[in-house]
Amino acid sequence: MDVVVTLGSSVLLLASVYGLVNIGFVLLYRTTGVPSFVQGHLVMLGGIIMATAQQLLGGYLLPLLVTIALTAILGWLLYQALMRFLSGSEEFIKAIVTFFLATVVAEITILGWGQGGHHIAQPISERFDVGRAHISAMIFVTLAVLSVLVVLLYLILERTITGIRMQAMAENESLSIYSGISVHRLSALAWAGAVALAAVAGISYSQQVDIDPSVADIGLAALPAAVFGGLNSIPGTLVGGLCFAILQTGVNYYLGGTTGFLAIYAATLVMLILRPQGLLGSVTGQRI
Amino acid sequence: MGIVQRTSIVAVACVILATQVWAADPEYKLGAIAALVGVGSYTGRPMMDGMNAAIAGINARGGINGKKINLVIRDDQSTGNVALANARELIADKQILSIIGVNSSLSAAAVGPLVESTQMPMISDAVPQNLLNPPRTGIFMANVSFATQGIAGVQFIKSLIEAGKAPSSPKVAILRYDSPATQSWHEGVVNEAKALGFTVVADEVYALTGSDISPQVVRIANARPDVMMTYSLLTQGSLLKSTFAAAGIPITTPQIGYNFVASKAFLGQFPDNAFFAPTGWNGGKGSPLEAQIAEDAKRVNVTADGGSFFEGYGIVLVAKAVLDKCGADCNRATFLKTLDNLTSDLGGFAFGTFNYTSNYHSGFTKLGFVTVEKGELVQVGPAIAVEQK
């Protein structure tokens, strides 16, 4: 029982964090067509900004709001200062730029904050004891936050004019411009949202780890989960995150060592061969 | 001999003397290589802090043999090729007596053959085992080898048994991240545990990129160990603590780590006298040099804490001991010759005599263990005599 409880709570936290990272990823992919490799690094940066804000302001809620606001502004600026100039470029070029951007974010973070870990004090310390093991109440808070954000994102993308325009923009940027859609404003909005979501993921992850530059590696596991579930599907990335959290934890437990990572990458490769659009993703056609 | 000849000889002698006086450097020049960005900067930056603090202190106290130390710093960006380019540049500067630092084993491995072939002394805290055994010309380790630290860690368990913190036949669990360094440490731990008759009940490894160690920790919890041998990064204290607690392992279970974590910030996250870390450098609370180190750290606006800081400080003290003996006219060749036979207590900074021999280029004879008590880093028990392996 202890084993089930401990591993179960670990799976829930991991799946939630993967989910939070990936809905930001999907937001960018579905609205701007950019597969963003910088998401993991933004998770790390968001967590470090939160830790700094907490040191300066104290408490939890105010630093949280400040962090979300600052990271949203950062996302906006990232688009205006960099990604805007790639408007109309091939998807590959945009993806490569985010790849290099990840290195820039990592180096700036190290120069600004060093390599050390940053602790974020949690607002709730209650836990539920089950035998020798326990589940932290914060895991349920994280699940609730993830659920609210998923519903919110779904409503924005599917039920608002802005969301529909964002998706149209990803389908065909040039046509969107001719149709009078303000591509730059909407893209900047998507980047602001994606960076803020990454920060929320980092803050959630801080209940398990201190935030240091290695936290950026969460992107290495979250991205395959998104690919597995379907890059353009919010439910798909959530299912992918849950599958991978179970697979990674289970394989690590039963086979030991570092076999969990091997398992998730192998599963991603198999999925890409059998169903390239992912578990719940939809096939997108490209006019040539 | 006529007056003209005598005058000529005196004049030539004066010119030679004057040239030598003018040519004698007003300072000792050392070259540092450290990872200041990238993954190696976890240890490179604090090591650099330690080296800068030690040099600032030495210079402020008047230098060595009346000469100050000038440190030329190069960043290897956590990359072996860059470290090699750094080393070439430093070796080309004939005034540089020695390369110091080189905090990643990757960089030390890349630089090693070059310093060996050029007879450039290198004092590094991360020399891989294959460059230490057999010893190579010019390559010196200012740290205790990974395997030796594992062996000494298991030997330390005996003092926990004597103190009643572990049963006489303790069940030992091992947890480490995956790397060549931890592999060497692991071999030392397993072999020594076997030699002492301790049972290794769990032996777990995790990926550094994972950050979720629950499966490994649950397996350890199932084995109910009495003592843990834990090799983690300095930044993973919170991860260990939260995962252990979630899996039901009391965080009071004694843990013995690696010298990275010989830090007040890390050990202070655990209850007093619960987590122990080995260190070769006697810079903790109550040590003879405590005040001096703190003062030197203040000179360069850093905090004297952590295994890597003390390694950096210690590397400079090794260089200082060499320069003390090598004299004001020390050059690269005489520096190497002095380093090759160095015997010193480093002013009390090493726990015992620190000496390099022709058989082994790692100088420690004793290793101390530290923990945290009431928020202060303190040494536990007497330092353990180590045989370098």
Side-chain angles (χ1 to χ4, degrees), chain B residues 22-281:
Chain B
W22 291 331
D25 297 322
E27 59 190 13
Y28 291 120
K29 207 168 174 185
L30 300 173
I33 298 177
L36 301 179
V37 296
V39 69
S41 60
Y42 278 110
T43 52
R45 281 174 176 265
M47 180 198 71
M48 206 60 243
D49 287 346
M51 293 205 294
N52 283 329
I55 288 173
I58 289 167
N59 288 344
R61 287 186 283 276
I64 306 162
N65 301 319
K67 296 167 83 169
K68 294 192 174 179
I69 296 177
N70 173 14
L71 187 64
V72 179
I73 300 167
R74 291 291 175 267
D75 177 8
D76 71 17
Q77 298 164 29
S78 306
T79 308
N81 284 338
V82 179
L84 193 56
N86 294 155
R88 283 201 187 98
E89 185 194 341
L90 296 174
I91 291 168
D93 183 343
K94 299 292 178 202
Q95 288 182 310
I96 291 180
L97 300 175
S98 173
I99 291 174
I100 60 173
V102 199
N103 63 288
S104 90
S105 53
L106 196 74
S107 294
V111 168
L114 179 67
V115 300
E116 186 183 8
S117 63
T118 55
Q119 308 264 302
M120 170 60 124
M122 175 177 80
I123 310 168
S124 157
D125 61 351
V127 180
Q129 203 74 14
N130 64 317
L131 293 180
L132 274 181
N133 194 8
R136 312 278 190 95
T137 307
I139 303 174
F140 292 83
M141 176 76 149
N143 196 355
V144 185
S145 75
F146 303 112
T148 305
Q149 287 207 39
I151 293 165
V154 175
Q155 288 173 352
F156 180 74
I157 295 175
K158 287 193 287 189
S159 66
L160 295 177
I161 296 169
E162 283 165 16
K165 289 182 177 173
S168 56
S169 298
K171 291 185 287 180
V172 178
I174 303 170
L175 179 66
R176 65 182 174 94
Y177 62 82
D178 194 16
S179 84
T182 69
Q183 179 65 37
S184 296
W185 172 84
H186 172 262
E187 281 169 21
V189 168
V190 170
N191 292 338
E192 190 63 13
K194 200 174 168 187
L196 294 178
F198 300 161
T199 313
V200 176
V201 290
D203 190 353
E204 298 295 330
V205 60
Y206 60 92
L208 255 186
T209 46
S211 292
D212 178 41
I213 58 172
S214 302
Q216 289 85 349
V217 170
V218 169
R219 284 156 67 107
I220 288 172
N222 290 344
R224 312 238 169 163
D226 301 308
V227 180
M228 295 269 314
M229 297 295 297
T230 312
Y231 194 138
S232 70
L233 285 181
L234 193 60
T235 52
Q236 289 177 323
S238 179
L239 175 68
L240 290 175
K241 208 172 128 180
S242 65
T243 316
F244 279 26
I249 299 178
I251 54 170
T252 48
T253 301
Q255 292 190 68
I256 299 155
Y258 180 71
N259 77 329
F260 284 165
V261 301
S263 133
K264 195 158 69 175
F266 180 94
L267 298 173
Q269 296 178 61
F270 295 85
D272 282 6
N273 280 296
F275 208 124
F276 306 89
T279 176
W281 305 114

Side-chain angles (χ1 to χ4, degrees), chain A residues 135-158:
Chain A
I135 304 176
S136 163
M138 270 306 285
I139 288 176
F140 298 106
V141 174
T142 307
L143 276 174
V145 168
L146 173 65
S147 307
V148 168
L149 288 173
V150 164
V151 171
L152 204 62
L153 193 62
Y154 175 79
L155 290 176
I156 289 171
L157 285 178
E158 303 292 339

Side-chain angles (χ1 to χ4, degrees), chain A residues 207-233:
Chain A
Q207 62 191 277
Q208 173 128 323
V209 296
D210 284 351
I211 305 295
D212 67 58
S214 74
V215 164
D217 292 339
I218 192 80
L220 293 176
L223 180 60
V227 172
F228 186 87
L231 266 183
N232 54 9
S233 160

Side-chain angles (χ1 to χ4, degrees), chain A residues 39-206:
Chain A
Q39 235 28 42
H41 289 77
L42 295 172
V43 169
M44 173 263 294
L45 182 62
I48 289 178
I49 290 174
M50 171 69 180
T52 309
Q54 203 175 46
Q55 271 179 358
L56 295 174
L57 304 171
Y60 190 87
L61 193 58
L62 182 59
L64 175 70
L65 296 173
V66 168
T67 303
I68 290 171
L70 284 178
T71 48
I73 292 168
L74 176 68
W76 182 279
L77 290 174
L78 268 180
Y79 180 79
Q80 299 293 2
L82 180 68
M83 301 308 292
R84 180 189 177 108
F85 300 104
L86 299 172
S87 181
S89 301
E90 287 176 36
E91 216 173 80
F92 173 74
I93 301 292
K94 291 177 181 174
I96 287 293
V97 167
T98 64
F99 184 78
F100 291 134
L101 185 59
T103 307
V104 172
V105 170
E107 296 304 335
I108 287 175
T109 309
I110 290 167
L111 286 173
W113 284 275
Q115 286 276 20
H118 301 266
H119 183 68
I120 298 176
Q122 301 299 310
I124 299 170
S125 57
E126 278 73 22
R127 62 188 207 181
F128 308 106
D129 293 325
V130 185
R132 287 197 312 146
H134 75 247
I135 304 176
S136 163
M138 270 306 285
I139 288 176
F140 298 106
V141 174
T142 307
L143 276 174
V145 168
L146 173 65
S147 307
V148 168
L149 288 173
V150 164
V151 171
L152 204 62
L153 193 62
Y154 175 79
L155 290 176
I156 289 171
L157 285 178
E158 303 292 339
R159 301 292 168 89
T160 66
I161 297 291
T162 303
I164 290 164
R165 282 178 174 165
M166 281 175 155
Q167 294 190 65
M169 198 170 71
E171 285 288 320
N172 193 321
E173 201 174 47
S174 306
L175 204 58
S176 302
I177 293 169
Y178 294 138
S179 310
I181 293 176
S182 175
V183 168
H184 292 313
R185 192 178 63 81
L186 291 182
S187 296
L189 198 62
W191 270 92
V195 178
L197 280 168
V200 174
I203 293 163
S204 303
Y205 201 31
S206 71

